[in-house]
Amino acid sequence: MPTPEPTGQGATTVEHLSPALTRELYRAMRTARDLDTEAIALQRQGVFPAYVSVRGQEAAQVGSASALDPTRDFVFPTYREMASALAYGVEMVGYMATHRALWHGGLYDVMESRFGAINAVVGGPVPHAVGWAVGERLRGGDGVAMAYFGDGASSEGDVHESMNFAGVFTAPVVFLCQNNQWALSVPNERQVAGGSVAARAEGYGMAGVLVDGNDVGAVYSATAEAVERARAGGGPTVIEALTYRVEPHSTSDDPGRYRDQAEAERWRGRDPLELLRAAMIEAGHADATDLATVDAEAAKRAEEIRDGVAEAPEPDGSALFTHVFRETTEELARQHRTWQEEVEL
């Protein structure tokens, strides 16, 4: 069965949102778009060993992250949630430094930001989110976990087990699937039975929502409702944000080998940033002059983050031996001594 077509007839819905909120959503999406462009350039220049683009998925990420409360919720991302991190308020130089492979988990404070380290394990963030959510309820807190994953990860056993566990224990989790149509080189129809990830929610006793992932207003509203439900004790929700990966899977990928570029161009015509821009102007939330100012500020911030990442000093090599065990083992101490001897030669 083919993947359902996106809803909304190409429009973005902002009438139900305040002008101030739509302007913040636009600012985050615009900055993420510019930072994504800078990041690809850094990879081409050899600063990043590799990079995964978020272009075309900014609405799904910014809309969902903006509906959370950074003071009490916790986000568990994959390797493609740069726009979510930015919208959530993560310190972006430290976050983006992860792509330089300077240090496991980047150079930002995961606990302070309440935004987990980049997780490259397919489906890996999902059980972590459920575990945190159950622990949050056991301690009497009202925080909600956000678990990001893709359509490819939805075929992993960890994701199914986590959803079942969350359903049984009414865990406060929002499962946010960014269905960008391709599990690397495998299309939806060859790995998502039934054509919908959200439809699986019923089998786990939770709400399931299929939303236009290029409509930031729709994503924000669906996420806000799911967060409110979870916080009130109503259990988890699966949100399937239908979007598209217009760029290669990563900077080492060649999508021309497995997909029709005409399809990608069709989705480029539904650019979430341009859809939001047009909707804001039509709704009177901003005019072209206002948005031009935001565009300039976003470009400047992206450049500042780029420069900060490129110039970030490498941590001392001895840090390799910290945070491995709570108490250093004899073998780890021996390895540390050997390393020091080799460095001092």
PDB file of all heavy atoms in Angstrom, residues 161-179:
ATOM      1  N   GLU A 161       8.585  -2.765  20.728  1.00  0.00           N
ATOM      2  CA  GLU A 161       8.615  -3.136  22.148  1.00  0.00           C
ATOM      3  C   GLU A 161       8.433  -1.919  23.040  1.00  0.00           C
ATOM      4  O   GLU A 161       7.735  -1.973  24.067  1.00  0.00           O
ATOM      5  CB  GLU A 161       9.937  -3.831  22.456  1.00  0.00           C
ATOM      6  CG  GLU A 161      10.084  -5.192  21.777  1.00  0.00           C
ATOM      7  CD  GLU A 161      11.514  -5.685  21.751  1.00  0.00           C
ATOM      8  OE1 GLU A 161      12.353  -5.101  22.469  1.00  0.00           O
ATOM      9  OE2 GLU A 161      11.806  -6.654  21.017  1.00  0.00           O
ATOM     10  N   SER A 162       9.048  -0.812  22.642  1.00  0.00           N
ATOM     11  CA  SER A 162       8.939   0.419  23.433  1.00  0.00           C
ATOM     12  C   SER A 162       7.520   0.950  23.436  1.00  0.00           C
ATOM     13  O   SER A 162       7.006   1.392  24.471  1.00  0.00           O
ATOM     14  CB  SER A 162       9.891   1.479  22.875  1.00  0.00           C
ATOM     15  OG  SER A 162      11.229   1.044  22.948  1.00  0.00           O
ATOM     16  N   MET A 163       6.870   0.914  22.272  1.00  0.00           N
ATOM     17  CA  MET A 163       5.483   1.401  22.200  1.00  0.00           C
ATOM     18  C   MET A 163       4.551   0.526  23.031  1.00  0.00           C
ATOM     19  O   MET A 163       3.661   1.029  23.726  1.00  0.00           O
ATOM     20  CB  MET A 163       5.022   1.443  20.750  1.00  0.00           C
ATOM     21  CG  MET A 163       5.656   2.563  19.928  1.00  0.00           C
ATOM     22  SD  MET A 163       4.987   2.602  18.244  1.00  0.00           S
ATOM     23  CE  MET A 163       5.866   4.034  17.591  1.00  0.00           C
ATOM     24  N   ASN A 164       4.755  -0.768  22.964  1.00  0.00           N
ATOM     25  CA  ASN A 164       3.909  -1.670  23.757  1.00  0.00           C
ATOM     26  C   ASN A 164       4.112  -1.417  25.240  1.00  0.00           C
ATOM     27  O   ASN A 164       3.148  -1.344  26.011  1.00  0.00           O
ATOM     28  CB  ASN A 164       4.233  -3.119  23.420  1.00  0.00           C
ATOM     29  CG  ASN A 164       3.279  -4.092  24.091  1.00  0.00           C
ATOM     30  OD1 ASN A 164       2.089  -4.082  23.827  1.00  0.00           O
ATOM     31  ND2 ASN A 164       3.806  -4.923  24.986  1.00  0.00           N
ATOM     32  N   PHE A 165       5.373  -1.268  25.647  1.00  0.00           N
ATOM     33  CA  PHE A 165       5.689  -1.003  27.057  1.00  0.00           C
ATOM     34  C   PHE A 165       5.047   0.311  27.501  1.00  0.00           C
ATOM     35  O   PHE A 165       4.442   0.395  28.573  1.00  0.00           O
ATOM     36  CB  PHE A 165       7.209  -0.944  27.224  1.00  0.00           C
ATOM     37  CG  PHE A 165       7.675  -0.991  28.654  1.00  0.00           C
ATOM     38  CD1 PHE A 165       8.033  -2.190  29.247  1.00  0.00           C
ATOM     39  CD2 PHE A 165       7.763   0.170  29.406  1.00  0.00           C
ATOM     40  CE1 PHE A 165       8.481  -2.230  30.572  1.00  0.00           C
ATOM     41  CE2 PHE A 165       8.190   0.140  30.724  1.00  0.00           C
ATOM     42  CZ  PHE A 165       8.552  -1.060  31.308  1.00  0.00           C
ATOM     43  N   ALA A 166       5.180   1.347  26.657  1.00  0.00           N
ATOM     44  CA  ALA A 166       4.614   2.650  26.991  1.00  0.00           C
ATOM     45  C   ALA A 166       3.097   2.584  27.096  1.00  0.00           C
ATOM     46  O   ALA A 166       2.487   3.218  27.966  1.00  0.00           O
ATOM     47  CB  ALA A 166       5.023   3.676  25.937  1.00  0.00           C
ATOM     48  N   GLY A 167       2.467   1.798  26.207  1.00  0.00           N
ATOM     49  CA  GLY A 167       1.028   1.657  26.257  1.00  0.00           C
ATOM     50  C   GLY A 167       0.564   0.953  27.512  1.00  0.00           C
ATOM     51  O   GLY A 167      -0.406   1.372  28.161  1.00  0.00           O
ATOM     52  N   VAL A 168       1.269  -0.096  27.890  1.00  0.00           N
ATOM     53  CA  VAL A 168       0.904  -0.863  29.090  1.00  0.00           C
ATOM     54  C   VAL A 168       1.039  -0.010  30.348  1.00  0.00           C
ATOM     55  O   VAL A 168       0.185  -0.042  31.241  1.00  0.00           O
ATOM     56  CB  VAL A 168       1.783  -2.132  29.202  1.00  0.00           C
ATOM     57  CG1 VAL A 168       1.597  -2.787  30.568  1.00  0.00           C
ATOM     58  CG2 VAL A 168       1.439  -3.113  28.092  1.00  0.00           C
ATOM     59  N   PHE A 169       2.116   0.787  30.415  1.00  0.00           N
ATOM     60  CA  PHE A 169       2.390   1.564  31.624  1.00  0.00           C
ATOM     61  C   PHE A 169       1.933   3.029  31.525  1.00  0.00           C
ATOM     62  O   PHE A 169       2.257   3.835  32.396  1.00  0.00           O
ATOM     63  CB  PHE A 169       3.884   1.500  31.953  1.00  0.00           C
ATOM     64  CG  PHE A 169       4.315   0.151  32.464  1.00  0.00           C
ATOM     65  CD1 PHE A 169       4.819  -0.805  31.592  1.00  0.00           C
ATOM     66  CD2 PHE A 169       4.179  -0.182  33.797  1.00  0.00           C
ATOM     67  CE1 PHE A 169       5.201  -2.059  32.049  1.00  0.00           C
ATOM     68  CE2 PHE A 169       4.560  -1.428  34.271  1.00  0.00           C
ATOM     69  CZ  PHE A 169       5.069  -2.381  33.391  1.00  0.00           C
ATOM     70  N   THR A 170       1.184   3.349  30.482  1.00  0.00           N
ATOM     71  CA  THR A 170       0.659   4.707  30.290  1.00  0.00           C
ATOM     72  C   THR A 170       1.770   5.746  30.437  1.00  0.00           C
ATOM     73  O   THR A 170       1.608   6.763  31.118  1.00  0.00           O
ATOM     74  CB  THR A 170      -0.478   5.014  31.293  1.00  0.00           C
ATOM     75  OG1 THR A 170      -1.270   3.857  31.487  1.00  0.00           O
ATOM     76  CG2 THR A 170      -1.384   6.116  30.774  1.00  0.00           C
ATOM     77  N   ALA A 171       2.892   5.474  29.818  1.00  0.00           N
ATOM     78  CA  ALA A 171       4.051   6.357  29.944  1.00  0.00           C
ATOM     79  C   ALA A 171       3.826   7.678  29.212  1.00  0.00           C
ATOM     80  O   ALA A 171       3.252   7.697  28.116  1.00  0.00           O
ATOM     81  CB  ALA A 171       5.298   5.665  29.388  1.00  0.00           C
ATOM     82  N   PRO A 172       4.288   8.778  29.782  1.00  0.00           N
ATOM     83  CA  PRO A 172       4.119  10.096  29.150  1.00  0.00           C
ATOM     84  C   PRO A 172       5.155  10.318  28.037  1.00  0.00           C
ATOM     85  O   PRO A 172       6.177  10.966  28.237  1.00  0.00           O
ATOM     86  CB  PRO A 172       4.332  11.066  30.314  1.00  0.00           C
ATOM     87  CG  PRO A 172       5.286  10.345  31.225  1.00  0.00           C
ATOM     88  CD  PRO A 172       4.912   8.896  31.119  1.00  0.00           C
ATOM     89  N   VAL A 173       4.873   9.744  26.872  1.00  0.00           N
ATOM     90  CA  VAL A 173       5.797   9.828  25.739  1.00  0.00           C
ATOM     91  C   VAL A 173       5.049  10.290  24.496  1.00  0.00           C
ATOM     92  O   VAL A 173       3.911   9.887  24.256  1.00  0.00           O
ATOM     93  CB  VAL A 173       6.431   8.453  25.425  1.00  0.00           C
ATOM     94  CG1 VAL A 173       7.526   8.599  24.369  1.00  0.00           C
ATOM     95  CG2 VAL A 173       6.983   7.799  26.663  1.00  0.00           C
ATOM     96  N   VAL A 174       5.720  11.116  23.707  1.00  0.00           N
ATOM     97  CA  VAL A 174       5.241  11.440  22.366  1.00  0.00           C
ATOM     98  C   VAL A 174       6.205  10.792  21.391  1.00  0.00           C
ATOM     99  O   VAL A 174       7.389  11.122  21.366  1.00  0.00           O
ATOM    100  CB  VAL A 174       5.182  12.959  22.120  1.00  0.00           C
ATOM    101  CG1 VAL A 174       4.734  13.239  20.687  1.00  0.00           C
ATOM    102  CG2 VAL A 174       4.251  13.627  23.115  1.00  0.00           C
ATOM    103  N   PHE A 175       5.712   9.825  20.626  1.00  0.00           N
ATOM    104  CA  PHE A 175       6.518   9.158  19.608  1.00  0.00           C
ATOM    105  C   PHE A 175       6.377   9.943  18.301  1.00  0.00           C
ATOM    106  O   PHE A 175       5.320   9.892  17.671  1.00  0.00           O
ATOM    107  CB  PHE A 175       6.045   7.717  19.407  1.00  0.00           C
ATOM    108  CG  PHE A 175       6.189   6.842  20.617  1.00  0.00           C
ATOM    109  CD1 PHE A 175       5.087   6.559  21.427  1.00  0.00           C
ATOM    110  CD2 PHE A 175       7.414   6.277  20.943  1.00  0.00           C
ATOM    111  CE1 PHE A 175       5.209   5.737  22.537  1.00  0.00           C
ATOM    112  CE2 PHE A 175       7.544   5.451  22.063  1.00  0.00           C
ATOM    113  CZ  PHE A 175       6.449   5.185  22.858  1.00  0.00           C
ATOM    114  N   LEU A 176       7.408  10.665  17.921  1.00  0.00           N
ATOM    115  CA  LEU A 176       7.325  11.523  16.737  1.00  0.00           C
ATOM    116  C   LEU A 176       8.096  10.875  15.591  1.00  0.00           C
ATOM    117  O   LEU A 176       9.333  10.890  15.561  1.00  0.00           O
ATOM    118  CB  LEU A 176       7.883  12.910  17.057  1.00  0.00           C
ATOM    119  CG  LEU A 176       7.514  14.102  16.152  1.00  0.00           C
ATOM    120  CD1 LEU A 176       8.161  13.999  14.781  1.00  0.00           C
ATOM    121  CD2 LEU A 176       6.004  14.239  16.029  1.00  0.00           C
ATOM    122  N   CYS A 177       7.352  10.300  14.655  1.00  0.00           N
ATOM    123  CA  CYS A 177       7.959   9.673  13.479  1.00  0.00           C
ATOM    124  C   CYS A 177       7.997  10.679  12.337  1.00  0.00           C
ATOM    125  O   CYS A 177       6.958  11.123  11.860  1.00  0.00           O
ATOM    126  CB  CYS A 177       7.173   8.438  13.047  1.00  0.00           C
ATOM    127  SG  CYS A 177       7.789   7.692  11.510  1.00  0.00           S
ATOM    128  N   GLN A 178       9.188  11.034  11.907  1.00  0.00           N
ATOM    129  CA  GLN A 178       9.326  11.845  10.703  1.00  0.00           C
ATOM    130  C   GLN A 178       9.392  10.889   9.517  1.00  0.00           C
ATOM    131  O   GLN A 178      10.422  10.314   9.222  1.00  0.00           O
ATOM    132  CB  GLN A 178      10.600  12.688  10.762  1.00  0.00           C
ATOM    133  CG  GLN A 178      10.563  13.781  11.814  1.00  0.00           C
ATOM    134  CD  GLN A 178      11.860  14.536  11.868  1.00  0.00           C
ATOM    135  OE1 GLN A 178      12.120  15.417  11.071  1.00  0.00           O
ATOM    136  NE2 GLN A 178      12.699  14.181  12.826  1.00  0.00           N
ATOM    137  N   ASN A 179       8.259  10.721   8.884  1.00  0.00           N
ATOM    138  CA  ASN A 179       8.194   9.822   7.730  1.00  0.00           C
ATOM    139  C   ASN A 179       8.623  10.610   6.497  1.00  0.00           C
ATOM    140  O   ASN A 179       7.838  11.304   5.875  1.00  0.00           O
ATOM    141  CB  ASN A 179       6.770   9.284   7.560  1.00  0.00           C
ATOM    142  CG  ASN A 179       6.683   8.259   6.436  1.00  0.00           C
ATOM    143  OD1 ASN A 179       7.573   8.153   5.598  1.00  0.00           O
ATOM    144  ND2 ASN A 179       5.608   7.495   6.420  1.00  0.00           N
TER     145      ASN A 179
END
